[in-house]
């Protein structure tokens, strides 16, 4: 019986039980059978949940890129590793074989070393979805530099703060990026960011859009001429199992973004294992995940997971609406995609368009369709299942997080029966539990609670860059001895999980994880603003949208409120990025607060949702009268 690939429900239950009873043996087998190591481990895991310290595959030595590329060369050298589909459908797609990928990554790795990047250095990658992004990520991993990919929709202030937090010495960017019919001048954003990031010594620039750029002497260098000179061979750095592989920033419910640190061996083992099972990838399949590599989904399931399995993975530069709303379906047809993985927000947006856009395409190549990033509502689930999956492809609703590194709860196609809106059962090795408010584990079925994970898993983030205390407090103190996900969930009568949404101050907008605190900080920078509070409210396409309550400094501020609202949104856009803009801004004279000064977001959420039915007991508030006033002013 294979440990690596599950092929029946009975097999799943067997493996699941084994993984709970003997987690060490379970992961030992998987790691042993399917990867290339310089040296194997002394112990599978050493950990201390209280201190939030986790060492997986203790003392093992490896390089993840040897596993992603080199070991496939003998058998799959000519197989396509990456299909690059450009933004503009008129531009030719590129097929990059494993042999070619090896040469590209080797050259890039050599360039990085020549430019002074060493093992352990941090490199910020701020690139559009082009092959150079994949190559840069892998080249960092090749030489042991820690990559910090920043989504190319973030503003210069967001880029700068992420660079500074982890003291990146290099930035890899491009002159610009294409998104639909727009060109975004990325290099200008980087230039602005670097005014506040003196730690950066070198900027490598990819030419993509031919936008006009200013190259700063001694700092900025065009990448292509360096690659042209570089040797297409490279000896991979020997990495320890627990050496950091990358940092990826995610929003927290308070303060600055958290630089989640993922390490090498555990991340490799589990992303590979979960990819193989959740997508049922077979040797000649073409797999496509529409996420951006700037998010964890892109790291784990565009790059590492697929390449670790010798898969063909599609990288799409564009957007679902350009040149029209059939773009996704056209790409599936063009490249005969077999597994398609996208987000509910994209599904909802596409379902709103004329059904003809999708019905024009038979989509017969598809075998498995997937969803990630936020709860998928019933309507979107059925639309996706019927119109994309043709009711014959299992729909895998995959629950996981930046912090978990890999998919945690998901159906396994052709194994686990699916149920609309349910992420269903945990993958082997994952032990979810639901907790009540008194921190007791809720046993049995048909229950709801806070979702925690009981036992460590290999691909979990190990710390927050530079702030282990915050890591410990955020994830391991609310429910001592367990990892707290920040999500609420219910478990149905057969033990299937359905994720109901965040129970903290993180709001998922179009699948993007946004913390209320950084947005409020941005708003509060406006000179006319005294205080603000952000909540989420349901939105047809985005899942949630943001509603802001803003108190102005001067009572009866005479300025036009529409202008103020626009200025506030501009500030948010500058500080964080357009994804964090507010849909609605209501100017108020006060915010409902507890006697200890905590904003009662529960009440603000209800008002934003237009649900005035039951605010609960508001008499204990410092200022109960404000609730009525805010309610009457609702937009
Ligand atoms: O609230 C959950 C939601 O997205 C959060 C994690 O966001 P992020 O770290 O950006 O990673 C997104 C991609 C893995 C979770 O805490 N979430 C993710 N997947 C699902 C989901 N909510 C419901 N169903 C899902 N399938």
């Amino acid at each position: 019986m294979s440990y690596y690939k599950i092929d029946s429900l009975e097999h799943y239950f067997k493996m699941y039980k084994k993984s709970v009873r003997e987690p060490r043996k379970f992961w030992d087998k998987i790691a042993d059978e399917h990867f290339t190591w310089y040296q194997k481990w002394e112990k599978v895991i050493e950990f201390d949940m209280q201190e939030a310290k986790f060492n997986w595959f203790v003392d093992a030595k490896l390089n993840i890129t040897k596993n992603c590329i080199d070991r496939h060369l003998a058998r799959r050298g000519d197989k396509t590793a990456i299909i690059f589909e450009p933004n503009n459908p008129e531009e030719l797609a590129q097929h990059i074989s494993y042999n070619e990928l090896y040469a590209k990554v080797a050259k890039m790795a050599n360039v990085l070393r020549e430019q002074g990047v060493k093992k352990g250095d941090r490199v910020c990658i701020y690139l559009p979805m082009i092959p150079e992004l994949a190559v840069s990520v892998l080249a960092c991993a090749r030489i042991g530099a820690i990559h910090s990919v920043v989504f190319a929709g973030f503003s210069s202030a967001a880029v700068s703060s992420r660079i500074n937090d982890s003291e990146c010495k290099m930035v890899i960017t491009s002159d610009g990026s294409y998104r639909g019919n727009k060109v975004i001048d990325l290099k200008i954003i980087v230039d602005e960011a670097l005014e506040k990031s003196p730690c950066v010594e070198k900027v490598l620039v990819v030419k993509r859009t031919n936008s006009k750029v200013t190259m700063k002497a001694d700092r900025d260098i065009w990448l292509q001429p360096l690659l042209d000179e570089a040797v297409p061979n490279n000896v991979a750095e020997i990495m320890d199992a627990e050496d950091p592989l990358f940092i990826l920033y995610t929003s927290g419910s308070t303060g600055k973004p958290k630089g989640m640190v993922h390490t090498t061996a555990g991340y490799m083992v589990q992303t590979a294992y979960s990819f193989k099972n959740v997508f049922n990838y077979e040797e000649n399949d073409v797999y496509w995940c529409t996420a951006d590599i700037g998010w964890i989904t892109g790291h784990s399931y565009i790059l590492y997971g697929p390449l670790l399995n010798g898969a063909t993975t599609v990288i799409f530069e564009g957007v679902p609406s350009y040149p029209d709303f059939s773009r996704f379906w056209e790409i599936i047809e063009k490249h005969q995609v077999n597994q398609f993985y996208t987000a509910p927000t994209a599904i909802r947006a596409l379902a709103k368009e004329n059904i003809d856009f999708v019905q024009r395409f038979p989509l017969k190549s598809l075998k498995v369709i997937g969803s990630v990033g936020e709860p998928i509502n019933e309507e979107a689930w059925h639309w996706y299942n019927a119109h994309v999956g043709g009711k014959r492809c299992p729909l895998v609703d995959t629950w996981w997080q930046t912090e978990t590194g890999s998919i945690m709860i998901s159906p396994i196609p052709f194994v686990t029966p699916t149920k609309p809106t349910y992420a269903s059962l945990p993958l082997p090795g994952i032990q979810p539990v639901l907790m009540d408010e008194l921190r007791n584990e809720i046993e049995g079925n048909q229950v709801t609670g806070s979702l925690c994970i009981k036992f460590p898993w290999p691909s979990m983030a190990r710390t927050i860059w530079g702030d282990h205390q915050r890591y410990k407090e955020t994830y391991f103190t609310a429910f001592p001895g367990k990892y707290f996900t920040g999500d609420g969930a219910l478990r149905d009568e057969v033990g299937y999980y359905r994720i109901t949404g965040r129970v903290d101050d993180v709001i998922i907008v179009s699948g993007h994880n946004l913390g209320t605190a950084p947005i409020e900080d941005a708003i509060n920078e406006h000179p006319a603003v005294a205080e603000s509070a952000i909540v989420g409210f349901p939105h047809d396409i985005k899942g949630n949208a943001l509603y802001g309550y803003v108190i102005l400094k001067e009572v009866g501020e005479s300025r036009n409120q529409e202008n103020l609202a626009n200025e506030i949104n501009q500030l948010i856009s500058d500080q964080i990025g357009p994804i964090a803009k507010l849909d609605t801004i209501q100017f108020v004279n006060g915010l409902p607060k507890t006697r200890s000064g905590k904003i009662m977001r529960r009440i603000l959420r209800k008002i934003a949702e237009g649900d005035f039915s039951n605010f609960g007991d508001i008499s204990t508030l410092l200022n109960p009268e404000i609730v009525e006033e805010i309610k009457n002013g609702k937009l």
Side-chain angles (χ1 to χ4, degrees):
M1 192 170 56
S2 164
Y3 268 72
Y4 193 63
K5 177 68 179 76
I6 291 161
D7 48 29
S8 69
L9 196 56
E10 195 195 345
H11 188 183
Y12 162 79
F13 283 121
K14 262 199 185 128
M15 292 317 293
Y16 189 76
K17 280 194 198 120
K18 263 187 201 294
S19 78
V20 172
R21 222 181 301 126
E22 301 173 292
R24 291 169 181 82
K25 180 170 170 210
F26 173 77
W27 289 115
D28 181 82
K29 284 263 196 197
I30 290 174
D32 197 32
E33 282 170 23
H34 287 276
F35 304 91
T36 302
W37 305 87
Y38 294 119
Q39 178 183 303
K40 292 206 172 156
W41 44 97
E42 298 283 322
K43 265 194 197 166
V44 174
I45 181 174
E46 267 175 352
F47 71 101
D48 178 343
M49 217 68 164
Q50 301 303 329
E51 289 307 311
K53 294 255 183 333
F54 307 95
N55 289 332
W56 279 92
F57 306 109
V58 179
D59 285 341
K61 305 281 181 243
L62 73 158
N63 186 291
I64 194 169
T65 68
K66 298 276 284 186
N67 284 277
C68 286
I69 309 172
D70 304 40
R71 72 171 160 143
H72 301 312
L73 298 181
R75 199 153 75 86
R76 306 188 176 101
D78 293 325
K79 177 177 174 177
T80 300
I82 293 175
I83 298 177
F84 170 59
E85 175 63 32
N87 176 63
N88 180 353
E90 309 281 302
E91 192 182 324
L92 284 185
Q94 287 176 34
H95 288 71
I96 301 169
S97 68
Y98 274 92
N99 281 329
E100 289 162 337
L101 184 62
Y102 173 82
K104 282 178 187 288
V105 170
K107 285 183 175 194
M108 186 71 190
N110 291 331
V111 166
L112 295 180
R113 278 197 182 131
E114 268 164 35
Q115 295 301 318
V117 180
K118 296 184 302 298
K119 179 176 174 178
D121 287 343
R122 276 78 60 206
V123 174
C124 170
I125 304 177
Y126 186 67
L127 279 172
M129 286 281 286
I130 54 178
E132 287 83 351
L133 171 51
V135 170
S136 300
V137 165
L138 295 165
C140 284
R142 186 88 182 167
I143 65 165
I146 303 170
H147 55 79
S148 167
V149 182
V150 176
F151 171 59
F154 275 123
S155 69
S156 64
V159 177
S160 175
S161 67
R162 283 160 177 74
I163 289 175
N164 294 345
D165 182 69
S166 50
E167 295 170 284
C168 296
K169 71 194 276 193
M170 174 182 275
V171 177
I172 308 174
T173 188
S174 65
D175 49 357
S177 77
Y178 293 120
R179 278 187 79 72
N181 54 15
K182 282 192 264 181
V183 177
I184 300 152
D185 293 327
L186 292 189
K187 176 65 165 59
I188 293 178
I189 299 175
V190 169
D191 290 342
E192 253 173 52
L194 295 195
E195 283 172 23
K196 296 202 182 100
S197 296
C199 51
V200 173
E201 294 163 16
K202 289 268 159 58
V203 180
L204 301 184
V205 188
V206 177
K207 193 168 258 188
R208 175 63 182 140
T209 55
N210 286 314
S211 303
K212 201 167 167 306
V213 301
T214 319
M215 299 292 277
K216 188 169 168 195
D218 300 331
R219 190 193 72 184
D220 303 350
I221 315 168
W222 288 107
L223 178 62
Q224 194 55 50
L226 299 179
L227 290 174
D228 291 343
E229 294 294 308
V231 182
N233 283 305
N234 174 279
V235 179
E237 191 78 37
I238 297 178
M239 304 298 287
D240 186 84
E242 285 295 340
D243 277 338
L245 174 64
F246 64 86
I247 300 170
L248 187 60
Y249 286 87
T250 187
S251 310
S253 48
T254 52
K256 59 178 188 171
K258 300 172 288 196
M260 303 312 308
V261 178
H262 281 280
T263 59
T264 308
Y267 178 81
M268 171 181 82
V269 169
Q270 205 174 348
T271 52
Y273 171 76
S274 53
F275 173 79
K276 179 73 181 167
N277 283 291
V278 171
F279 298 103
N280 197 42
Y281 185 84
E282 289 168 345
E283 186 60 32
N284 296 314
D285 289 345
V286 174
Y287 162 89
W288 179 25
C289 164
T290 69
D292 193 288
I293 293 175
W295 309 115
I296 191 69
T297 307
H299 280 58
S300 302
Y301 299 108
I302 295 179
L303 292 183
Y304 288 114
L307 296 177
L308 285 163
N309 283 283
T312 299
T313 175
V314 176
I315 294 185
F316 174 45
E317 185 184 27
V319 293
S321 54
Y322 177 82
D324 65 35
F325 289 98
S326 66
R327 187 68 167 125
F328 273 5
W329 323 127
E330 184 237 342
I331 294 173
I332 292 174
E333 213 57 61
K334 176 173 172 186
H335 298 298
Q336 290 292 290
V337 171
N338 303 107
Q339 291 88 4
F340 177 67
Y341 190 31
T342 195
T345 187
I347 300 296
R348 286 189 295 263
L350 294 169
K352 279 223 157 359
E353 300 303 323
N354 194 324
I355 193 74
D356 212 42
F357 282 121
V358 58
Q359 277 183 347
R360 256 189 282 152
F361 300 92
L363 306 179
K364 287 280 183 283
S365 59
L366 287 177
K367 298 197 274 192
V368 176
I369 56 175
S371 166
V372 60
E374 54 183 309
I376 178 163
N377 51 307
E378 189 116 15
E379 209 183 333
W381 196 99
H382 287 295
W383 188 91
Y384 193 26
N385 181 45
H387 297 292
V388 182
K391 295 196 179 161
R392 66 193 158 75
C393 305
L395 193 171
V396 292
D397 175 1
T398 64
W399 174 84
W400 59 297
Q401 311 178 295
T402 305
E403 293 86 340
T404 69
S406 303
I407 295 169
M408 305 285 275
I409 305 182
S410 168
I412 296 174
F414 312 108
V415 169
T416 323
T418 61
K419 174 173 177 182
T421 76
Y422 282 74
S424 81
L425 297 173
L427 292 185
I430 307 306
Q431 300 185 36
V433 284
L434 296 180
M435 306 295 289
D436 68 17
E437 279 161 12
L438 298 171
R439 300 174 164 186
N440 296 318
E441 189 175 329
I442 309 170
E443 308 271 352
N445 290 343
Q446 288 191 297
V447 289
T448 57
S450 295
L451 180 64
C452 289
I453 313 287
K454 217 152 77 171
F455 192 83
W457 60 100
S459 68
M460 67 198 300
R462 299 295 193 265
T463 190
I464 292 174
W465 184 263
D467 199 348
H468 193 71
Q469 189 60 25
R470 185 175 179 199
Y471 174 71
K472 211 164 103 176
E473 278 164 15
T474 310
Y475 303 107
F476 296 94
T477 52
F479 300 94
K482 300 191 174 57
Y483 167 85
F484 175 45
T485 65
D487 283 327
L490 74 80
R491 192 164 53 220
D492 78 357
E493 63 288 353
V494 296
Y496 270 29
Y497 286 88
R498 174 190 192 167
I499 312 303
T500 46
R502 303 289 307 187
V503 293
D504 57 10
D505 290 335
V506 171
I507 305 169
I508 315 264
V509 178
S510 299
H512 302 310
N513 198 334
L514 300 172
T516 51
I519 303 176
E520 287 162 7
D521 289 348
I523 299 173
N524 298 348
E525 277 191 22
H526 192 288
V529 171
E531 201 185 347
S532 59
I534 302 297
V535 296
F537 68 101
H539 185 279
D540 278 358
I541 292 177
K542 297 195 259 191
N544 293 295
L546 299 177
Y547 194 114
Y549 298 90
V550 175
I551 308 177
L552 296 172
K553 278 185 185 148
E554 290 192 26
V555 184
E557 157 86 51
S558 57
R559 291 177 54 196
N560 178 310
Q561 292 201 339
E562 199 180 316
N563 289 347
L564 273 176
N566 288 338
E567 287 168 22
I568 286 171
N569 263 330
Q570 188 57 46
L571 258 175
I572 296 173
S573 202
D574 292 346
Q575 296 286 329
I576 299 161
I579 48 175
K581 281 192 191 172
L582 310 185
D583 265 43
T584 312
I585 299 181
Q586 179 180 349
F587 294 97
V588 294
N589 292 317
L591 294 167
K593 286 191 178 166
T594 61
R595 286 181 193 277
S596 61
K598 194 168 178 289
I599 298 172
M600 288 292 282
R601 286 175 201 275
R602 185 176 54 77
I603 294 175
L604 295 176
R605 236 176 263 133
K606 287 198 104 174
I607 297 177
E609 286 167 13
D611 171 7
F612 304 152
S613 56
N614 181 10
F615 291 124
D617 180 11
I618 58 171
S619 64
T620 55
L621 291 181
L622 203 57
N623 50 351
E625 70 291 344
I626 200 72
V627 175
E628 192 63 20
E629 193 182 318
I630 297 179
K631 193 180 101 183
N632 292 336
K634 165 152 180 13
L635 298 171

